[in-house]
């Protein structure tokens, strides 16, 4: 069975979508079968995958609210060579309509269940808030990957997110855990960034990925060309960093599988 990872942080501008798109592409480049689910009404992960969010035949709205089968809402022609469930402003309506339906926090989990064996990894790009869409993502996920900038306010936000994950695990998903904490937009010349990075490592130990995503112009430019960084400029430091992150994710997954066999 494949692994489902929600990319979440209620703070905006920390690199959630960049991480979702580039991790999905990097895992797909290792010959894994990957599904990226865009749950953010802004649809940035959709556009960053080379899919026009205004022209898609279906989105995560149809999956969650109309309960269309996963196979009917997938976009396969992405620049990152992964499957995609797109998002656009229609998904805003899904947030409202979810409040009216039975077992609203389990809609995504139930939609994915019949197809989990078909993918090695399912990556969910969450909106930058702890709303019903994010709750659906966490109810469906095995784990949460938290991208964060190394700045003071980010630590406060991380504490709140950890508390939320703990509460959700006791209510809707007892197996939910932290996959890892990813330091993004990192500038080693910034003393505060280094201080916060050290605090993270002290508090969370091996939950903090060794890979650090640097501030990188190519990484920032790639979405405007509708492609993950590795297909925009494979020599960019940002593209190489996400390949290294994929390597860490795969290594951790292999260790878990070996422990289960033993």
């Amino acid at each position: 069975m494949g692994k489902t990872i929600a990319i979440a942080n209620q703070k905006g501008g920390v690199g959630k979508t960049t991480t979702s798109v580039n991790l999905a592409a990097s895992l797909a480049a290792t010959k894994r079968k990957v599904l990226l689910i865009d749950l953010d009404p802004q649809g940035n992960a959709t556009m960053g995958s080379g899919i026009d969010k205004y022209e898609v035949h279906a989105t995560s709205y149809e999956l969650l609210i109309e309960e269309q089968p996963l196979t009917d809402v997938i976009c396969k022609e992405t620049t990152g060579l992964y499957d995609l469930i797109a998002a656009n402003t229609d998904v805003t309506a899904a947030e409202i309509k979810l409040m009216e339906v039975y077992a609203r926090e389990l809609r995504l989990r139930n939609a994915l269940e019949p197809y989990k064996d078909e993918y090695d990894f399912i990556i969910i790009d969450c909106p930058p808030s702890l709303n019903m869409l994010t709750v659906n993502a966490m109810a469906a996920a095995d784990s949460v990957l938290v991208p964060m900038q190394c700045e003071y306010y980010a630590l406060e936000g991380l504490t709140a997110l950890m508390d939320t994950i703990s509460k959700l695990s006791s209510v809707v998903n007892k197996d939910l855990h932290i996959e890892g904490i990813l330091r993004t937009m990192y500038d080693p010349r910034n003393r505060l960034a280094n201080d916060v990075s050290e605090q993270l490592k002290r508090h969370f130990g091996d939950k903090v990925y060794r890979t650090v995503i640097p501030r990188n112009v190519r990484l920032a430019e790639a979405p405007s060309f509708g492609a993950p960084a590795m297909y925009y400029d494979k020599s960019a430091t940002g593209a190489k960093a996400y390949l290294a992150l994929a390597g860490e994710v795969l290594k951790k997954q292999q260790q878990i599988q070996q422990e289960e066999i033993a």
Side-chain angles (χ1 to χ4, degrees):
M1 183 177 283
K3 182 164 198 172
T4 303
I5 303 173
I7 313 289
N9 190 330
Q10 73 270 38
K11 192 174 186 301
V14 297
K16 279 190 305 296
T17 297
T18 298
T19 297
S20 299
V21 168
N22 287 284
L23 177 58
S26 297
L27 289 168
T30 67
K31 306 302 181 188
R32 269 66 177 187
K33 191 170 183 190
V34 179
L35 171 65
L36 173 61
I37 301 175
D38 191 351
L39 279 189
D40 189 341
Q42 295 176 87
N44 291 336
T46 300
M47 299 292 276
S49 302
I51 301 294
D52 188 340
K53 65 182 178 182
Y54 302 107
E55 300 293 331
V56 290
H57 67 284
T59 68
S60 43
Y61 175 91
E62 280 75 17
L63 184 73
L64 291 169
I65 303 303
E66 297 184 0
E67 297 186 287
Q68 290 188 18
L70 192 83
T71 48
D72 290 354
V73 299
I74 281 175
C75 303
K76 288 192 172 284
E77 303 301 318
T78 66
T79 49
L81 306 181
Y82 46 76
D83 289 353
L84 171 76
I85 295 175
N88 55 28
T89 51
D90 290 350
V91 180
T92 305
E95 162 70 9
I96 298 164
K97 287 184 177 290
L98 277 170
M99 302 306 292
E100 304 167 1
V101 301
Y102 176 73
R104 54 184 178 265
E105 62 280 336
L106 301 178
R107 278 293 178 107
L108 184 59
R109 182 201 290 182
N110 293 339
L112 294 179
E113 199 61 43
Y115 303 95
K116 283 195 76 169
D117 287 344
E118 296 182 19
Y119 292 96
D120 297 303
F121 289 94
I122 298 174
I123 307 293
I124 308 173
D125 183 30
C126 297
S129 59
L130 294 172
N131 59 20
M132 188 51 64
L133 293 169
T134 304
V135 170
N136 260 267
M138 292 192 182
D142 299 304
S143 58
V144 183
L145 189 157
V146 185
M148 63 171 287
Q149 285 182 262
C150 289
E151 55 185 32
Y152 174 72
Y153 290 119
L155 286 174
E156 284 193 359
L158 182 60
T159 302
L161 181 62
M162 293 296 183
D163 185 49
T164 300
I165 291 169
S166 176
K167 287 175 180 173
L168 284 172
S169 66
S170 65
V171 178
V172 296
N173 186 353
K174 64 180 176 58
D175 297 320
L176 186 68
H177 61 276
I178 297 293
E179 179 71 19
I181 297 168
L182 177 67
R183 293 162 288 172
T184 60
M185 304 177 206
Y186 191 78
D187 184 349
R189 297 168 298 180
N190 184 318
R191 198 174 85 178
L192 176 61
N194 288 319
D195 288 347
V196 172
S197 179
E198 286 305 313
Q199 285 186 55
L200 282 173
K201 286 190 281 188
R202 275 201 306 273
H203 283 91
F204 296 101
D206 60 3
K207 287 292 183 185
V208 180
Y209 288 109
R210 290 192 303 276
T211 301
V212 175
I213 309 301
R215 285 195 178 275
N216 180 241
V217 174
R218 293 299 200 208
L219 203 54
E221 289 174 346
S224 63
F225 289 86
M230 65 183 295
Y231 294 110
Y232 172 60
D233 182 356
K234 65 181 179 183
S235 65
T237 55
K240 291 176 179 176
Y242 276 110
L243 280 168
L245 174 64
E248 281 198 67
V249 170
L250 287 169
K251 185 177 179 182
K252 183 181 286 188
Q253 182 68 356
Q254 287 164 357
Q255 286 172 344
I256 291 169
Q257 289 171 344
Q258 286 168 359
E259 286 169 9
E260 287 174 350
I261 292 169

